Amino acid sequence: MKIFIYSYLFLVGLSFALAVNVLAQNPIIRNQFTADPSARVFNGKVYLYPSHDIPPEKGKCRENWFCMEDYHVFSSDNLVEWTDHGIILTQHDVPWVDATSYSMWAPDCIDRNGKYYFFFPSQAKAGNEKRGFGIGVAISEKPYGPFIPETEPIDGVSGIDPNPFIDEDGQAYLYWSAGNIYVAKLKDNMLELASEPKVIENLPEKGLKEGPYLFKRNGIYYLTYPHVENKTERIEYAISDNPLGPFEVKGVIMDESPNCWTNHHSIIEYNAQWYLFYHHNDLSPHFDKNRSVRIDSLFFNEDGTIQKVIPTLRGVGITDASQKIQIDRYSAISKEGASIAFNDSNNTFEGWKAMFDKANAWLMYSRVDFGNNKFKSAIIRAFSKNGSLIQLTLNNEKGPVISHVKIPKGDTWQTVKAPVIRSIKGVQDLVVMLKNDNTAEIDWISFE
């Protein structure tokens, strides 16, 4: 296949000029919409290859439908701080793609022999013999690009949601969906099929199945996929002793999520812990075609079956106490008197705030790393019309008190400091409690 070559310097500019850090919990990316997360571990870092939802514009995208024209890549070495390396590919860069379709849907990436192969689906141009959704490949020397796309999609493949997998013997496979879930062997060049596509049998017969993601653990091949049993996707899995099957359905990894009819995921092991990457429409609660990536920990039973993952706002990773701690992404919450809301409902990328309206209401934010630092002050960005008193404790609502912070009354947000009254070391859970009946809103907390 011929390779479509375009300006290397232009792509480098895109890849590096936009490299910015995003510090977040669930959802992990808060400055743009992201979905369909494919996570990979390359060179000791986690690289995230999601699709990129954009709000549909009249005359640009189909109304009330998915609108995607490019891909970003993100990286992290702690799953908390994410670097956006910018746009790595757009629908305008790929010769075979219909650049009016805005259909750059769920991608994936894999490394082989020092190169990175980025697989992506999109609508083919009218007149193309592969009219419909094809799956293309773009190649790079580095996991964050620049990626150079092939001029044609993979011959013999029609569908979406590509998922490449390389087994321990070096044989590569491609999984994808098109009504059913398909698999075929790939040639060593990762660009051509080495076998005829095969439908994976024994999966649920009724309901949409898509988004396959295969991984191997302790000799077991796990085929995971979203499935619509009723009206909303849930993530299920099947196992086999062969990457081509037959597979046996074993259960549900994550139940249906309210308000978002799609889910799409990937599963990786990183630093001896397994993680589920998935999406929800946190930042777009009234339009579930603008989604955001989340992460939660995943665990196995002794027999190799997967424990069901319960979605959380807290997500994963350890937060440095000197950073802004977004307590609205709580680990636990009191039964009454505490809630969360957007800081600005017209600009959801501004994030959330915690709201307290009853004495002794509290939120817990788990896994804050205080290190060996001797913090002297607690800092809170807060708002309280009549003034309020906030108490900070460790580990639970009745735990050791580390600070009392008085929030002055006022009509605007204020950043307030208060002394830390107890030495704090190591990783601790942080509890924030309202101590009087005057309402208070808190954006973030930090220590210095």
Side-chain angles (χ1 to χ4, degrees):
M1 295 184 182
K2 295 181 181 179
I3 296 178
F4 179 61
I5 305 294
Y6 50 88
S7 172
Y8 178 88
L9 291 177
F10 173 72
L11 270 177
V12 170
L14 283 178
S15 296
F16 291 100
L18 295 179
V20 296
N21 285 323
V22 180
L23 183 67
Q25 292 302 314
N26 282 340
I28 62 170
I29 309 298
R30 298 193 191 175
N31 62 356
Q32 60 189 276
F33 295 116
T34 52
D36 311 316
S38 288
R40 295 289 182 177
V41 180
F42 297 136
N43 307 317
K45 274 189 174 183
V46 176
Y47 286 84
L48 179 66
Y49 301 87
S51 56
H52 182 199
D53 288 340
I54 59 177
E57 298 177 11
K58 189 175 183 179
K60 183 176 181 179
C61 301
R62 176 179 164 186
E63 188 176 2
N64 295 321
W65 193 240
F66 304 105
C67 188
M68 308 175 187
E69 65 177 326
D70 58 41
Y71 298 106
H72 288 237
V73 61
F74 303 82
S75 67
S76 176
D77 59 9
N78 60 12
L79 304 182
V80 176
E81 298 165 287
W82 291 89
T83 297
D84 180 359
H85 296 277
I87 295 173
I88 59 171
L89 193 69
T90 81
Q91 63 182 6
H92 308 288
D93 299 330
V94 188
W96 61 268
V97 167
D98 178 357
T100 68
S101 65
Y102 295 88
S103 58
M104 304 293 270
W105 288 8
D108 200 352
C109 189
I110 201 165
D111 63 325
R112 186 174 192 129
N113 298 328
K115 292 185 178 180
Y116 298 86
Y117 296 84
F118 181 73
F119 291 77
F120 62 95
S122 194
Q123 183 80 36
K125 288 179 179 177
N128 189 300
E129 63 179 8
K130 302 176 184 65
R131 175 68 175 167
F133 268 88
I135 290 176
V137 186
I139 305 171
S140 176
E141 301 290 333
K142 297 179 180 179
Y144 46 81
F147 283 90
I148 298 174
E150 296 287 304
T151 56
E152 295 291 338
I154 299 173
D155 190 33
V157 177
S158 178
I160 60 174
D161 303 332
N163 166 231
F165 169 76
I166 301 175
D167 208 349
E168 293 163 356
D169 62 2
Q171 178 61 59
Y173 300 83
L174 183 67
Y175 300 80
W176 69 94
S177 59
N180 292 300
I181 294 177
Y182 292 80
V183 61
K185 292 182 179 180
L186 284 171
K187 293 183 179 180
D188 288 346
N189 64 12
M190 303 297 287
L191 304 174
E192 300 172 272
L193 296 187
S195 69
E196 291 296 317
K198 172 186 176 182
V199 175
I200 294 180
E201 299 177 347
N202 300 328
L203 301 182
E205 294 183 2
K206 295 183 179 179
L208 174 68
K209 300 177 294 293
E210 59 177 359
Y213 188 88
L214 186 125
F215 68 94
K216 187 177 183 180
R217 176 183 180 270
N218 294 341
I220 299 174
Y221 297 89
Y222 292 80
L223 177 66
T224 64
Y225 53 91
H227 172 223
V228 180
E229 184 179 64
N230 295 308
K231 296 181 179 180
T232 305
E233 287 185 342
R234 68 185 186 192
I235 301 174
E236 302 176 358
Y237 76 105
I239 64 172
S240 177
D241 59 4
N242 190 303
L244 296 173
F247 284 87
E248 177 189 0
V249 174
K250 296 300 290 186
V252 175
I253 299 174
M254 177 174 282
D255 287 327
E256 296 88 342
S257 298
N259 304 319
C260 188
W261 78 270
T262 66
N263 205 345
H264 193 116
H265 68 292
S266 57
I267 296 172
I268 63 168
E269 184 181 22
Y270 184 60
N271 292 338
Q273 173 62 52
W274 288 85
Y275 296 99
L276 174 69
F277 288 70
Y278 62 104
H279 70 227
H280 189 61
N281 60 320
D282 295 276
L283 292 169
S284 179
H286 305 298
F287 183 59
D288 67 354
K289 310 303 184 293
N290 285 164
R291 299 152 298 176
S292 297
V293 171
R294 289 179 169 194
I295 316 173
D296 275 298
S297 297
L298 179 142
F299 300 92
F300 293 85
N301 297 311
E302 289 186 4
D303 63 359
T305 56
I306 299 174
Q307 296 179 18
K308 188 177 290 186
V309 177
I310 306 302
T312 74
L313 297 173
R314 175 60 181 88
V316 300
I318 298 173
T319 302
D320 190 318
S322 64
Q323 301 291 330
K324 291 179 179 178
I325 303 166
Q326 305 287 349
I327 63 162
D328 43 65
R329 309 290 84 195
Y330 58 82
S331 314
I333 187 172
S334 57
K335 292 183 179 180
E336 54 185 3
S339 61
I340 65 169
F342 286 113
N343 282 323
D344 181 351
S345 59
N346 293 317
N347 181 11
T348 57
F349 292 124
E350 289 291 325
W352 292 264
K353 59 187 176 183
M355 302 186 296
F356 302 89
D357 59 16
K358 185 175 182 180
N360 297 319
W362 55 269
L363 291 177
M364 175 191 289
Y365 185 100
S366 63
R367 304 187 301 279
V368 177
D369 188 3
F370 290 90
N372 291 315
N373 298 311
K374 295 182 179 180
F375 290 107
K376 296 181 178 179
S377 299
I379 308 169
I380 298 182
R381 184 175 187 266
F383 165 76
S384 180
K385 187 172 183 179
N386 297 311
S388 59
L389 178 63
I390 300 295
Q391 177 178 282
L392 306 181
T393 65
L394 298 179
N395 302 322
N396 59 69
E397 66 272 25
K398 297 181 180 180
V401 177
I402 59 172
S403 187
H404 290 104
V405 186
K406 292 182 179 180
I407 310 301
K409 64 179 180 180
D411 295 322
T412 60
W413 286 86
Q414 303 179 65
T415 301
V416 181
K417 287 186 180 183
V420 170
I421 61 176
R422 181 186 299 269
S423 177
I424 320 168
K425 292 185 179 181
V427 177
Q428 308 277 354
D429 295 340
L430 177 66
V431 177
V432 183
M433 178 182 289
L434 178 68
K435 293 303 292 182
N436 59 13
D437 284 317
N438 292 340
T439 61
E441 299 178 2
I442 298 177
D443 188 6
W444 51 260
I445 294 174
S446 187
F447 293 85
E448 67 175 15

